[in-house]
Amino acid sequence: MKLGENIRMYRNKANLTQEQLGEKVGVSAQAVSKWESDSSLPDTSLLPSIADALSTTIDALFGYNQTDRHSMLETLYRYQ
């Protein structure tokens, strides 16, 4: 999953409009729209604010799941 898709998913879970998320982060609704359509990426300095506004983590925004990693490492360990 791409960053923009994840931002949209978490924004919808939080019942926020693009305008509301933009206000919380200090950008325009158009900027949020561009992130969600993968036309542009948010500035890295905004990632903590975006994650906080969406009640998630930066890792989750990028699709990183610690549980998945743990399962993968466990499977690799058993394989060896």
Side-chain angles (χ1 to χ4, degrees):
M1 203 179 263
K2 294 182 180 180
L3 176 62
E5 292 172 0
N6 288 337
I7 291 173
R8 178 182 290 123
M9 178 188 69
Y10 284 108
R11 179 180 60 76
N12 287 331
K13 279 185 178 181
N15 293 317
L16 295 173
T17 64
Q18 290 177 340
E19 186 173 334
Q20 290 169 324
L21 177 57
E23 288 174 3
K24 288 178 175 275
V25 178
V27 299
S28 68
Q30 291 80 8
V32 175
S33 176
K34 287 181 180 181
W35 300 340
E36 291 182 356
S37 66
D38 289 316
S39 297
S40 70
L41 294 171
D43 187 281
T44 55
S45 66
L46 294 175
L47 291 174
S49 298
I50 295 168
D52 185 53
L54 298 176
S55 300
T56 192
T57 64
I58 295 170
D59 285 349
L61 289 176
F62 281 97
Y64 179 78
N65 184 333
Q66 184 69 26
T67 304
D68 291 343
R69 181 171 183 260
H70 178 72
S71 296
M72 179 185 70
L73 292 174
E74 188 175 283
T75 301
L76 288 172
Y77 179 75
R78 280 192 223 152
Y79 180 74
Q80 289 181 350

